[in-house]
Structures are given as C-alpha cells and as structure tokens.
C-alpha cells in the first residue's frame, strides 16, 4: 500500500483516520464542504484526548485525484455511501476500497459502482468532532478489518499494519460477520431506544426491576436480533446484552449518534442499522415485532421534521 | 342533590359548570390550583366554545371545607387519583363517587377509600385557557355504570346520569360500563404514545402504513385483554381511529400525550398502555408492544430529569 490513501468523509472517524494515517502515508481527505477542506488544508487536523498531535493530510472537495489512490477509506455516514461510490466510479483504478459504516449494506453499494477489491471494517473507536479541524479521540477501541467477497486476506493485513503503524488500533480477521453482527444488534437497539426516549446510553437501558422498565425492551430487542443472526447462520462474537450491561455499568453516558441526529433534526442511519435487521428478519422469515416497531417509530420521528 | 367535582381541570369544569345550571343541584369543586379556585369563587366558572355557560359554584383548595356530598365526580389526571380521593373521601362517606378519567385503574384507586363507586367514560373535552375559564372544544357522550367490585346501586347511577343529561351532558347509565371504557382506553393507548414518540398528528400517524400497522397491533393486544375479561366493546376502536384521521375530524389533532411530552408534563402512560399491560398480566394475555411503548414513554419522561 505504498500509493496514496484517500479518506472520504471528514466526520469523527474520517478525521481520526486521516489525521493518524497522515503521519505514515500520503493522505488526502475528500470533504463535502469547501470550507471544511480549506480549514484542514490550512490548519491540519488537531487530535486531542487519547492522542495529542496535529495531522497534516491534504484536503480537497475535488475527487479527480482518486484515480491513483491505493487505498480508499469510505468513512461517510451510511446514507452518503452512494454519493461516495459515485465519486469512485470511473475514477478509481486498481485501488482497494474499505468501508467502515455502521449497519449492513455499504459494501454492496460500493460493489454496484465498480469491481475494486474491497475490505469490510467495523470500528469501535469513537470521538467527538469539535471543529472542522479538531477531533477529540475518546475511545481507542480497535477497528476490525476483513476481506469482502474474494479480496485476498493480505489486503486486510496490509491495511491493518498501516493503521497500526499510524497509532490506531486495528486487527485483521478472515470473517467479520460475528463482530459486525454483535455491533449491529447492539447499535440497532441502543440507537433506536435512545433516539425515541432522548436518553443517552445509561443505566436505564439495563434496568429490569419493574415489568415496564426499559431493560426488558432492550433485552427483547436484542433477543430478536440474536434470533435473526442465528437464522442467518452467524455465531455472534459477543453477546449484545452483555455489551449493554457492561457499557451501562461503567457509569458513562454515551450519546448514540441516532439520538444526536434526532436532536439536531438530521436524517438518521436507522435504515442501515435497525432497518437492516428488520429487512434481514423478513428475508429469513423470523418474527421481529419489537425491532419492527422501533424502526417504524424512528422513521416516523424523522418524517416529523424532515 | 350535592355534587363535588374532584379535580376541576378542563373535563371537571365541564361537569361542574353545567351541573351548576340545575336548580336542584348544588355544586362544589376541589382543585389544588389556588388561582383557578379564587377566580371560580369570584366570577363563577365560565365555559365558552361548544357551549356558553357560567356556573355559580363553590370551589376550594382545602378538602376539609367540603360538605357531605351525594356524588363525587373525579376528573383529575390519573396519577393524582389516589391522593385526591384520600383527601376528599370524608365528603363521600354517604355518597357515591364516579370517575370520568382516562385510562383504567382509577375506580380501583377510588374504591380504596370510598364504598360506592361508579365507573365512567366521557368524551367531552376542552382546555383551561385562564383561571376560571375553560374552552369547551368537543361535546360528547358519557357512559356510567356500577364499579363491579364496589358498586353504587343502579338507582344511584341513574340519578347521576339523569342530572348530567339534564345539565346538557348526555349521560347513559348502564349495568356494565366496561365496554365504552375499554373502547376509549384501546383507542387512546394505540394512538397517544405513537403521537408522543414520533411528534406526528393523528392523521399523519394513520397515513403511514407501517405506523398504522403498529397502531393495529396495539389495538389487537388491547382487544385480547378486554376479551379475556369478558368485556364487550361498544364499538370497534379501529373504525374510530380511521374516522378520527379524516381531514374534517381530527387529522391535525396532536394527541394529549404528545402535548404532555412537548410541555414535559408527566403522561398518563401507566393508566393507558401500562393499564393494558397490568390487566393483561392478570389475565395471562401477552402484551409485548404495549409493554414496549410504555417503557419508551417512561424512558422519555426519565430523560427530562437528567
């Protein structure tokens, strides 16, 4: 992977990745907004929190240079993968495309636009974007990377070694699905419930004392997710309910992105997260009344302001 | 005949002011809102809108002032029933007390303190516009009947119904008043929390096919719990829901629970969906979606205290 790296999307994950990789590779951040690109081109990206440095990727809104990219990391919101794929089509040569979106389906969207080798990634790192040129690195949990379809495992290993060299945590694995589905079920539940209640991911999500305590709903949603995973032949890497209990016991109050989206009256990723599970349930003929209910409610909540 | 209205908000005021028009009825009102009580005592209780009425009555914030009454009409929000009836019960030592509240469980709370209880369901609605003045939005029927475990005699139920009807609030006395109550309960439980969670008006909830299916699933659970108790609904909630969605009926209506949520007031969820869940448990009828929306609304209420 000696060729240049392009990162599409300068949100939290895109900014963290572009800043870190710029220390070990020639990195270009492809932004949507010109002022975002200008801020990064002028000031670099300041990383604070888990690491403290200023990364200096190139930054542009012009996709023309994608032609020569060796690795393209698509770090947009799930809703914007289609637009990113359209930028790649007809431009990217024999480079590799890696998707890191929440939920399911990003790989297929990319594939529909070109025959490039692809990597699937699930990332557990998190942060907060404080400005176009400043990102706070909060959780330094790893990114898991696996080949998509028949891409060689060596591509995943190469991406991992580049990312690890840059100071981020990453791990290559032959099959991403067990980890991806654990995160999917966790996210589909926690994000939807947070978006509907306005609660950050806190102790309410694990409460089971009264019959109508939120923990019962959370567990019910996760149980449906597990049944869908089982029907899809996926052996989960972690139990989502245990992930939930552990996360809430830490006493932290994480604001899931879907809650932030709803509060900012932005489109959410619900179609790619909760919606992906609901579609998979229909496909596998598994009943998922609770997931279907919260999916419809979040969609309707979006419709009330979009 | 002396009637004391307990909780003189919108619905309580409709009963109090109209009954005060009758020469043979003396009306008292108990309410905790000092300004409202003072205005009623000074200028009378004024209704405008669907009817123009000024009722001369005595209002108090102090339950000790209440004289012995032949009838009580309880019209508080459900979560205040127990406290309100505890305070006023001495005035009903020889009288019968009728609930005209939303939801289920109010008669049970009243029967903890009062021997002869009347189950009631009322459809007239309005809102308090200023102290002593209530806007009367909707006329409608009231159905009352003996509360089975702790019943008022049918003759007494009939006397109250006759007085209300004569006062301009058409009221029917029936032997089994559970049908209208559960019809209203199921209607409210299937529509109110959906409006509250999504921010959508009744009409918009009903024109979203996925959401309308969720409404029907909530209706079906409620119907199953009613049927298990041997309750025969006096009308199909589904028809009422579709009727209300018509542009000339209540398309633009924001459910009262949505209004509560927007104003961050505690909702009546425990007595609506929570009531269906409770009675369902007693009957061994599963109510997973009513449990789910109850948990979501309670989570929403909890988010206001963070």
């Amino acid at each position: 992977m000696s060729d240049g790296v392009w990162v599409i999307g300068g949100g939290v994950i895109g900014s963290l990745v572009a800043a870190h990789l710029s220390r070990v590779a020639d990195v270009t951040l492809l932004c949507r907004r010109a002022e975002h690109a200008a801020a990064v081109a002028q000031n670099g990206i300041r990383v604070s929190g888990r690491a403290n440095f200023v990364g200096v990727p190139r930054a542009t809104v012009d996709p023309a240079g994608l032609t020569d990219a060796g690795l393209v990391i698509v770090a947009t919101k799930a809703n914007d993968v289609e637009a990113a794929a359209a930028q790649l089509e007809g431009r990217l040569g024999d480079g590799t495309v890696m998707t890191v979106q929440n939920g399911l389906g990003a790989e297929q969207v990319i594939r529909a636009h070109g025959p490039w080798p692809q990597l699937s990634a699930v990332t557990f790192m998190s942060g907060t974007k404080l400005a176009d040129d400043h990102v706070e690195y909060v959780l330094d949990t790893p990114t898991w990377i696996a080949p998509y379809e028949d891409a060689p495992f060596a591509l995943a290993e190469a991406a991992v070694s580049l990312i690890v060299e840059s100071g981020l945590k990453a791990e290559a694995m032959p099959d991403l699905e067990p980890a991806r589905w654990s995160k999917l079920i966790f996210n589909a539940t926690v994000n939807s419930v947070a978006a509907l209640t306005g609660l950050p991911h806190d102790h309410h999500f694990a409460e089971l004392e009264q019959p109508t305590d939120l923990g019962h709903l959370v567990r019910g949603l996760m149980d449906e997710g597990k049944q869908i995973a089982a029907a899809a032949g996926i052996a989960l890497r972690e139990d989502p309910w245990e992930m939930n209990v552990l996360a809430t016991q830490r006493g932290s109050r994480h604001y899931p992105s879907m809650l932030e989206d709803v509060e900012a009256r932005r489109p959410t990723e619900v179609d790619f997260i909760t919606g992906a599970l609901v579609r998979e349930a229909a496909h596998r003929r598994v009943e998922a009344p609770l997931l279907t209910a919260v999916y419809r409610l979040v969609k309707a909540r979006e419709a009330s302001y979009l | 005949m002396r009637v004391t209205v307990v909780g003189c908000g919108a619905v309580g005021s409709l009963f109090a002011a109209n009954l005060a028009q009758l020469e043979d009825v003396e009306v008292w009102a108990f309410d905790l809102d000092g300004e409202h009580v003072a205005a009623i005592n000074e200028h009378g209780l004024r209704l405008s809108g669907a009817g123009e009425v000024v009722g001369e009555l005595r209002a108090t914030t102090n339950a000790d002032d209440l004289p012995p009454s032949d009838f009580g009409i309880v019209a508080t929000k459900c979560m205040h029933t127990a406290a309100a009836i505890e305070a006023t019960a001495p005035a009903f030592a020889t009288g019968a007390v009728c609930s005209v509240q939303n939801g289920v469980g109010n008669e049970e709370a009243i029967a903890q303190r009062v021997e002869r209880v009347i189950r009631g369901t009322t459809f007239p609605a309005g809102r308090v516009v200023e102290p002593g003045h209530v806007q009367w939005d909707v006329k409608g029927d009231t159905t009352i009947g003996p509360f089975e475990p702790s019943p008022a005699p049918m003759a007494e139920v009939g006397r109250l119904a006759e007085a209300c009807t004569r006062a301009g609030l058409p009221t029917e006395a029936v032997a089994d008043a559970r049908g209208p109550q559960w019809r209203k309960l199921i209607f409210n439980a299937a529509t109110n929390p959906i409006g509250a969670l999504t921010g959508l008006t009744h009409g918009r909830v009903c024109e979203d096919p996925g959401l309308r299916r969720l409404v029907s699933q909530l209706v079906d659970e409620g119907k199953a719990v009613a049927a298990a108790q041997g309750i025969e609904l006096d009308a199909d909630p589904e028809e009422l829901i579709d009727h209300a969605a018509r542009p000339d009926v209540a398309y633009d209506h924001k459910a009262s629970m949505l209004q509560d949520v927007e104003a961050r007031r505690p909702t009546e969820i425990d007595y609506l969906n929570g009531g269906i869940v409770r009675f369902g448990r007693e009957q061994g009828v599963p109510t997973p979606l009513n449990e789910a929306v109850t948990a979501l609304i309670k989570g929403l209420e909890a988010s206001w205290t963070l």
Side-chain angles (χ1 to χ4, degrees), chain B residues 97-263:
Chain B
V97 176
C98 177
S99 166
V100 290
Q101 298 158 281
N102 281 328
V104 281
N106 296 298
E107 290 85 0
E108 284 79 357
I110 294 169
Q112 298 281 318
R113 300 279 168 182
V114 174
E115 275 182 27
R116 302 202 305 286
V117 179
I118 302 172
R119 186 192 289 280
T121 302
T122 194
F123 285 90
R127 61 203 143 88
V128 180
V129 284
E130 60 186 332
H133 182 196
V134 165
Q135 168 75 25
W136 188 355
D137 288 331
V138 196
K139 291 201 172 191
D141 295 340
T142 300
T143 309
I144 61 178
F147 174 60
E148 305 72 18
S150 205
M154 202 57 207
E156 210 170 14
V157 176
R159 266 181 81 207
L160 180 61
E162 186 276 328
C164 292
T165 303
R166 206 151 36 87
L169 297 168
T171 301
E172 194 184 355
V174 299
D176 184 352
R178 297 177 304 166
Q181 187 174 48
W182 274 75
R183 179 245 300 187
K184 185 179 182 190
L185 168 69
I186 292 169
F187 176 99
N188 281 334
T191 54
N192 264 278
I194 305 303
L197 289 167
T198 62
L200 295 176
T201 64
H202 181 72
R204 289 197 63 194
V205 166
C206 290
E207 69 192 12
D208 174 334
L211 220 46
R212 184 65 183 80
R213 269 199 296 283
L214 176 55
V215 168
S216 288
Q217 290 173 306
L218 290 165
V219 167
D220 289 344
E221 288 183 4
K223 281 180 176 173
V225 176
Q229 297 170 85
I231 296 172
E232 209 165 301
L233 302 180
D234 64 339
D236 186 353
E238 291 282 5
E239 284 171 22
L240 301 168
I241 288 165
D242 286 333
H243 175 76
R246 284 170 35 178
D248 54 329
V249 183
Y251 181 94
D252 288 320
H253 178 67
K254 280 188 174 182
S256 63
M257 196 181 288
L258 172 54
Q259 297 179 41
D260 286 339
V261 163
E262 286 181 342

Side-chain angles (χ1 to χ4, degrees), chain A residues 204 206-218, chain B residues 291 294-295 298:
Chain A
H204 291 97
E207 259 163 32
L208 294 168
E209 209 170 301
Q210 302 295 325
T212 50
D213 279 347
L214 209 48
H216 293 286
L217 173 60
V218 168
Chain B
E291 282 173 27
T294 305
K298 290 171 87 72

Side-chain angles (χ1 to χ4, degrees), chain A residues 16 59 195 220 231 255 263:
Chain A
L16 282 171
Y255 277 79
E263 289 190 340

Side-chain angles (χ1 to χ4, degrees), chain A residues 197 200 211-212 296 301 303-304, chain B residues 198 204 210 213 281 300 303 306:
Chain A
T197 60
T212 50
R296 286 175 179 157
R301 178 73 181 275
S304 78
Chain B
T198 62
R204 289 197 63 194
R213 269 199 296 283
R281 276 173 191 270
L300 186 58
S303 78
L306 293 181

Side-chain angles (χ1 to χ4, degrees), chain B residues 1-6 15-16 19-20 22-30 56-60 63-73 90-98 116 118 156 159-160 163-164 166:
Chain B
M1 178 196 297
R2 189 183 285 136
V3 178
T4 293
V5 171
V6 176
F15 279 90
L19 282 168
L22 302 180
E23 281 188 4
D24 57 334
V25 177
E26 176 190 339
V27 178
W28 281 70
F30 169 72
E56 299 297 329
L57 53 118
R58 296 282 303 278
T60 179
D64 296 339
D65 293 345
L66 295 173
S69 298
D70 301 293
F71 289 102
I73 295 177
F92 307 117
T94 59
V97 176
C98 177
R116 302 202 305 286
I118 302 172
E156 210 170 14
R159 266 181 81 207
L160 180 61
C164 292
R166 206 151 36 87

